[in-house]
Amino acid sequence: MGWGKLFFTVGSVLSSLVASQIVPTEVHNTGFNSSFVLTEAQIKAGDLSDTLIQNVQNVMNFDRTQMAFGGPNEDDFYTLPALTNSTTLKPGQVLKVERITDPSAYAIPANTGLSRIMYTTINFNGTVIPTSGFILWPYAARTFGQALNETAKAPVVVWAHGTSGFFGPQAPSAHRSLWYDNSGPFALAEAGYAVFAPDFAGLGIGKSWDGSEIPHQYHATPATAHDAVYGLRAALETFPESLDNNWVAMGHSEGGGVAWAVAEVLHYEESEFADLVAGYKGVVAASPTTRVFTGPGYFMAPTVAQMLKSIFPSFEFSDWMTPIGVARLNLIKEIQGGIGVFTQVLANLTENVKEDFKDTWYVDAFSKLGDAGHKDFKGPILVLQGTADTYVPYDVTLETVEEAWTNYPNNDLNFLAAEGVGHVPVLRATRQFWQRWIDERFEGKPLAKKGGVRTDVAPLRKDEQYTKIINSFPLWAGLPQFGYEVVLPV
Ligand SMILES: *[C@@H]1O[C@H](CO)[C@@H](O)[C@H](O)[C@H]1NC(C)=O
Ligand SMILES: *[C@@H]1O[C@H](CO)[C@@H](O)[C@H](O)[C@H]1NC(C)=O
Ligand SMILES: *[C@@H]1O[C@H](CO)[C@@H](O)[C@H](O)[C@H]1NC(C)=O
Ligand SMILES: *[C@@H]1O[C@H](CO)[C@@H](O)[C@H](O)[C@H]1NC(C)=O
Ligand SMILES: *[C@@H]1O[C@H](CO)[C@@H](O)[C@H](O)[C@H]1NC(C)=O
């Protein structure tokens, strides 16, 4: 466009701003849509200090304000439809479709669109349960090769999210920025992929048809990987006009383990998923959890404990948690706190977690059943790992990768290590590499080198020049009184 035209366009936007009506503005705080307060009984039960009381209330109000339409407890989409014929209930069935999700309550990028589906999956022990997920639509489908193809369907990336929490309100499909914003789904959709993302079971729909609780089987990767593949099947069946059958799975942290476990499920259950194997192109596993109890103990013990009884019926919170830890875990369940509440209330390891919790048989037994990365898989897989990751240690991922190279030498496992990069930031720091890797899989390009390949990425400038932390997030400003925060919205 020429300068004259540009000037004209900017000029029209400005003149329309000048002409539009002035709306009274308001100061915008991040907890504006909630007034959560703990009751006296809850404060007593959790033995909470004044600081903890303040912190829990602030985090709860922030988290609630991040939810579109008040979140799963208030949004009708998450209401389970009655069963019409329970005898035919199979995993991968579509239960509900919201073809057009009102985007106005979300902080998603302009010219992306949202749909949500509810579908069946199985829990760790094979019971059929419902869960939900979203599809984030690109403006135009990514095309490969020379010519733009305006009628092309979108290639699919199954996005497996990292830890959001453990209860209904922490469904990424209910989060204004889909929980991972620019680090995951936004980046993928803006590149032209259609993003299908499961809410792992228990996040979104809290109860099954018989009224029983659906725990989020955290780090039980065979379960969460089934949420991903059954959800993909449901999504492909629902939107055949826009979704291509070719797909890649990608995930981070908890979801990095899930993505890796998707490659394991496709290997061991190839015939069950023959329909999906046909279009499968590979997996990107970023900062993947492959040894759950090498994560920080104050966090891993209670977050696995909250659901472990659903796998091992003899397990009680008191097997791992101190009496005050048990009381606090019960309190967090009662208020359905997310990851932010967990990290506040249970920050003190010695106070809340029993010193010898790792000696109980549950720890090894659960690791063996739940950890991704220790079985054969259907490649190719690209593993991304920052060397400065404090949640999923670099050494642990390297060990898992080397074990896979030794045990499955004919399989394709690429390892990309990013020097000096932390846990979530690895997704942004290495985007160009994983995006090209995904593109090449869709293009049908063979891998540069077969088998186990390591690539090291180092910062362009001196390491100390770079900021290592995430210190901002997409703040929804969708009410007229907050409109001043987005100066040129259209
Ligand atoms: C604020 O919360 C209420 C109740 O939870 C919900 O119905 C409403 O959609 C929310 N409003 C906004 C603007 O998010
Ligand atoms: C209900 O299930 C039975 C047994 O699987 C099947 O024969 C029947 O067609 C189903 N009915 C409906 C309405 O789906
Ligand atoms: C464009 O995409 C459509 C739908 O996937 C496909 O049928 C058609 O062959 C494509 N055209 C070209 C030129 O690749
Ligand atoms: C679930 O499966 C595990 C592993 O096979 C088994 O140890 C456990 O007893 C089962 N739990 C339930 C509730 O059936
Ligand atoms: C953690 O709790 C223990 C026992 O109550 C206490 O002695 C210690 O000071 C606490 N640590 C921190 C860092 O608050």
Side-chain angles (χ1 to χ4, degrees):
M1 126 182 21
W3 286 107
K5 176 89 180 297
L6 179 68
F7 179 77
F8 177 77
T9 307
V10 172
S12 334
V13 171
L14 289 179
S15 56
S16 73
L17 278 183
V18 171
S20 68
Q21 213 189 332
I22 301 299
V23 174
T25 60
E26 269 176 34
V27 174
H28 193 181
N29 74 56
T30 55
F32 70 88
N33 203 31
S34 173
S35 51
F36 174 87
V37 282
L38 289 158
T39 65
E40 281 306 317
Q42 287 169 333
I43 292 167
K44 193 151 169 264
D47 190 18
L48 304 180
S49 65
D50 287 347
T51 307
L52 270 187
I53 296 168
Q54 271 309 309
N55 291 4
V56 169
Q57 290 177 172
N58 286 340
V59 175
M60 288 292 290
N61 287 325
F62 173 74
D63 285 354
R64 289 187 171 185
T65 296
Q66 298 311 304
M67 293 192 297
F69 314 117
N73 292 340
E74 297 178 25
D75 180 345
D76 259 356
F77 170 76
Y78 297 91
T79 308
L80 196 55
L83 271 187
T84 48
N85 195 344
S86 62
T87 52
T88 59
L89 203 58
K90 291 204 173 57
Q93 275 185 295
V94 180
L95 297 169
K96 194 187 271 190
V97 176
E98 186 180 71
R99 299 190 80 82
I100 301 174
T101 301
D102 173 7
S104 67
Y106 287 85
I108 59 175
N111 295 304
T112 58
L114 203 58
S115 302
R116 295 188 291 190
I117 60 172
M118 187 188 288
Y119 61 95
T120 52
T121 178
I122 49 173
N123 69 10
F124 183 82
N125 288 73
T127 303
V128 177
I129 48 170
T131 196
S132 46
F134 68 80
I135 294 113
L136 183 66
W137 298 103
Y139 174 70
R142 191 167 188 87
T143 50
F144 306 103
Q146 305 301 318
L148 261 180
N149 184 349
E150 281 162 8
T151 59
K153 300 179 190 185
V156 179
V157 176
V158 176
W159 169 252
H161 65 87
T163 311
S164 56
F166 312 92
F167 310 112
Q170 285 95 43
S173 67
H175 189 271
R176 293 195 197 274
S177 32
L178 307 176
W179 186 238
Y180 258 70
D181 54 73
N182 292 312
S183 295
F186 295 0
L188 289 162
E190 289 184 330
Y193 304 110
V195 182
F196 165 68
D199 296 325
F200 303 135
L203 309 176
I205 303 160
K207 289 201 167 130
S208 195
W209 289 279
D210 62 0
S212 62
E213 215 176 280
I214 303 177
H216 170 39
Q217 293 183 316
Y218 188 53
H219 290 311
T221 60
T224 39
H226 280 109
D227 298 345
V229 285
Y230 283 126
L232 172 63
R233 181 180 285 165
L236 292 176
E237 185 190 315
T238 307
F239 298 102
E241 72 285 8
S242 302
L243 297 179
D244 195 77
N245 286 327
N246 292 326
W247 63 284
V248 157
M250 175 170 184
H252 178 258
S253 194
E254 173 190 13
V258 175
W260 195 321
V262 163
E264 296 170 348
V265 165
L266 295 185
H267 174 82
Y268 289 99
E269 298 171 59
E270 182 151 7
S271 56
E272 164 70 18
F273 295 104
D275 54 330
L276 302 181
V277 167
Y280 170 72
K281 301 292 177 190
V283 155
V284 179
S287 324
T289 312
T290 63
R291 296 255 180 231
V292 50
F293 294 106
T294 58
Y298 80 90
F299 188 71
M300 297 330 305
T303 56
V304 172
Q306 56 78 26
M307 64 83 206
L308 202 54
K309 202 178 177 60
S310 71
I311 295 176
F312 300 132
S314 60
F315 180 81
E316 299 296 339
F317 290 172
S318 56
D319 287 315
W320 288 359
M321 309 292 290
T322 62
I324 185 64
V326 171
R328 287 174 173 171
L329 191 46
N330 282 321
L331 170 64
I332 298 173
K333 270 192 84 167
E334 182 183 317
I335 63 175
Q336 298 193 306
I339 182 174
V341 173
F342 266 80
T343 51
Q344 291 289 333
V345 175
L346 298 168
N348 186 329
L349 174 70
T350 51
E351 202 172 47
N352 299 302
V353 178
K354 284 185 170 170
E355 207 177 345
D356 57 355
F357 93 95
K358 282 193 182 167
D359 299 337
T360 61
W361 68 266
Y362 296 110
V363 166
D364 270 357
F366 180 66
S367 278
K368 284 206 179 76
L369 294 173
D371 283 347
H374 308 285
K375 291 190 205 129
D376 206 351
F377 58 90
K378 190 168 181 59
I381 295 181
L382 169 65
V383 175
L384 306 172
Q385 177 70 45
T387 65
D389 191 326
T390 52
Y391 300 100
V392 172
Y394 165 78
D395 290 346
V396 172
T397 300
L398 179 62
E399 196 186 312
T400 305
V401 164
E402 288 179 335
E403 175 196 303
W405 283 342
T406 305
N407 293 343
Y408 312 108
N410 297 323
N411 233 325
D412 292 318
L413 183 76
N414 296 171
F415 179 55
L416 189 147
E419 189 188 311
V421 173
H423 187 60
V424 181
V426 77
L427 289 167
R428 304 284 285 269
T430 66
R431 183 187 295 173
Q432 59 165 315
F433 302 100
W434 56 257
Q435 205 166 81
R436 192 180 314 151
W437 192 91
I438 292 175
D439 279 350
E440 290 180 354
R441 302 293 76 72
F442 282 118
E443 286 162 0
K445 253 194 183 167
L447 292 162
K449 203 167 147 218
K450 297 287 291 173
V453 177
R454 177 180 175 130
T455 308
D456 285 275
V457 180
L460 173 69
R461 303 279 293 171
K462 278 196 167 56
D463 186 64
E464 59 267 26
Q465 178 164 1
Y466 292 88
T467 175
K468 300 299 175 73
I469 55 163
I470 297 173
N471 62 5
S472 57
F473 65 96
L475 177 59
W476 182 81
L479 293 173
Q481 60 269 38
F482 306 140
Y484 66 94
E485 295 171 327
V486 186
V487 182
L488 296 176
V490 292

